């Protein structure tokens, strides 16, 4: 993955400890020992259709099996053309992938370069490099969500999530080595996502429509992080393409990060933001959120 989601709080940090004075600890200091032990986190996601909680973990790619999207294929208008990531003329506006000319040119360049490389005999150095890249890809940590048959299981309450975990119902997280420990220990009170694990995707499009001066950098950066994670875990290649390096939405993300960093980089980032079309950005994000929403299985 290009970027990792925000770091989780460390139990050894002062702010992560319980208040032993007898008074209830502030929400930000809630007991995180269960989640640290199982290396899984509760996540809150707000979508236009509602707010729900689910689970997310990060594991080496060679330790997890991707979710099965076989039953979702027929419902996915992008499944047959995900490699091209080009809009079909018959699709309505909700399903159009927004790709700018620069992205298409960059993609064509990459394809040409790969074709040229395939036409050359690979030397020992090339073979060693390829083997090293494959090894790195196998051990790179990738996101795993509480999914089943290509859909994100999103729960409307901590109680329903905890009940589902204990139920033994099928889903993709049963493959995790710490899952049985979570099943034995989880209680509804444990399902309390931190601020870093709470995402407001329902606010993104409206914020972008407000124009450059109103764009919320934190909101948009965090939305990009969780959207990339979800697109990977749910196997939504069209969304990954829209957020990939060289796309207009990735340019937006990079410029926003520069403004947060401040200094000369922040000044340049603000200049770059003014060159990004608000309409293109909002339409692109509307498509992304629509694609993610279509892959959600709401549970009471």
């Amino acid at each position: 993955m290009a970027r990792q989601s925000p770091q989780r709080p460390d139990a050894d940090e002062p702010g992560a400890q319980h208040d032993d004075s007898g008074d209830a600890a502030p929400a930000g200091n809630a007991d995180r020992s269960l989640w640290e032990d199982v290396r899984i986190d509760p996540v809150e996601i707000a979508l236009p259709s509602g707010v729900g909680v689910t689970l997310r973990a990060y594991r080496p790619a060679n330790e997890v099996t991707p979710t099965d999207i076989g039953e979702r294929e027929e419902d996915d208008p992008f499944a047959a053309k995900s490699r091209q990531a080009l809009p079909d003329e018959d699709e309505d506006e909700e399903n159009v992938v927004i790709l700018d000319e620069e992205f298409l040119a960059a993609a064509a360049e990459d394809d040409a370069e790969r074709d040229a490389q395939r036409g050359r005999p690979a030397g020992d150095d090339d073979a060693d490099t390829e083997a090293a890249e494959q090894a790195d890809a196998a051990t790179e940590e990738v996101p795993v969500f509480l999914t089943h048959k290509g859909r994100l299981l999103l729960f409307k309450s901590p109680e329903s999530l905890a009940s589902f975990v204990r139920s033994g119902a099928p889903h993709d997280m049963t493959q995790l080595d710490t899952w049985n420990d979570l099943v034995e220990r989880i209680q509804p009170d444990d399902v309390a996502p931190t601020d870093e694990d709470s995402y407001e995707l329902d606010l993104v499009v409206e914020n972008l429509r407000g124009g450059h001066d109103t764009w919320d950098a934190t909101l948009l950066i965090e939305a990009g992080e969780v959207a990339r994670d979800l697109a990977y875990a749910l196997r939504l290649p069209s969304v990954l393409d829209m957020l990939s390096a060289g796309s207009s939405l990735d340019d937006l993300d990079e410029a926003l990060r520069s403004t947060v960093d401040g200094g000369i980089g922040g000044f340049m980032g603000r200049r770059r933001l003014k060159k990004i079309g608000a309409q293109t950005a909002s339409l692109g994000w509307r498509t992304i959120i629509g694609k993610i929403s279509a892959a959600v299985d709401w549970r009471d």
Side-chain angles (χ1 to χ4, degrees), residues 240-261:
L240 286 174
D241 284 339
M242 292 178 68
L243 295 169
S244 64
S247 69
S248 58
L249 294 184
D250 184 67
D251 288 343
L252 169 63
D253 184 86
E254 293 293 346
L256 288 167
R257 290 174 185 272
S258 296
T259 64
V260 171
D261 292 339

Side-chain angles (χ1 to χ4, degrees), residues 77-121:
F78 289 96
K81 59 180 190 328
S82 59
R83 291 178 181 83
Q84 289 79 21
L86 294 175
D88 188 274
E89 292 180 0
D90 295 329
E91 290 178 7
D92 60 28
E93 188 178 25
E94 290 295 327
N95 289 329
V96 172
V97 179
I98 308 300
L99 297 175
D100 60 19
E101 293 180 359
E102 291 180 357
F103 178 82
L104 292 174
E109 257 185 352
D110 290 343
D111 290 341
E113 184 177 346
R114 282 194 295 269
D115 290 341
Q117 288 174 346
R118 291 191 187 102
R120 296 198 308 268

Side-chain angles (χ1 to χ4, degrees), residues 55-181:
L55 300 175
R56 175 178 61 187
Y58 293 97
R59 294 292 189 275
N62 58 358
E63 293 183 8
V64 296
T65 301
T67 188
D68 179 8
I69 61 172
E71 294 186 10
R72 198 190 70 200
E73 197 90 5
E74 295 178 0
D75 299 327
D76 185 358
F78 289 96
K81 59 180 190 328
S82 59
R83 291 178 181 83
Q84 289 79 21
L86 294 175
D88 188 274
E89 292 180 0
D90 295 329
E91 290 178 7
D92 60 28
E93 188 178 25
E94 290 295 327
N95 289 329
V96 172
V97 179
I98 308 300
L99 297 175
D100 60 19
E101 293 180 359
E102 291 180 357
F103 178 82
L104 292 174
E109 257 185 352
D110 290 343
D111 290 341
E113 184 177 346
R114 282 194 295 269
D115 290 341
Q117 288 174 346
R118 291 191 187 102
R120 296 198 308 268
D124 291 340
D125 290 344
D126 292 339
D128 291 344
T129 300
E130 184 176 352
E133 290 175 349
Q134 291 176 348
D136 289 343
T139 56
E140 180 185 11
E141 287 200 334
V142 298
V144 182
F145 281 85
L146 191 56
T147 55
H148 182 55
K149 295 188 180 300
R151 296 191 179 276
L152 174 69
L153 305 183
L154 205 53
F155 298 82
K156 295 182 179 179
S157 70
E159 290 78 14
S160 59
L161 173 57
S163 177
F164 177 85
V165 169
R166 296 193 298 260
S167 71
H171 56 83
D172 297 315
M173 273 194 161
T174 56
Q175 65 184 305
L176 301 184
D177 56 348
T178 58
W179 182 256
N180 290 337
D181 188 17

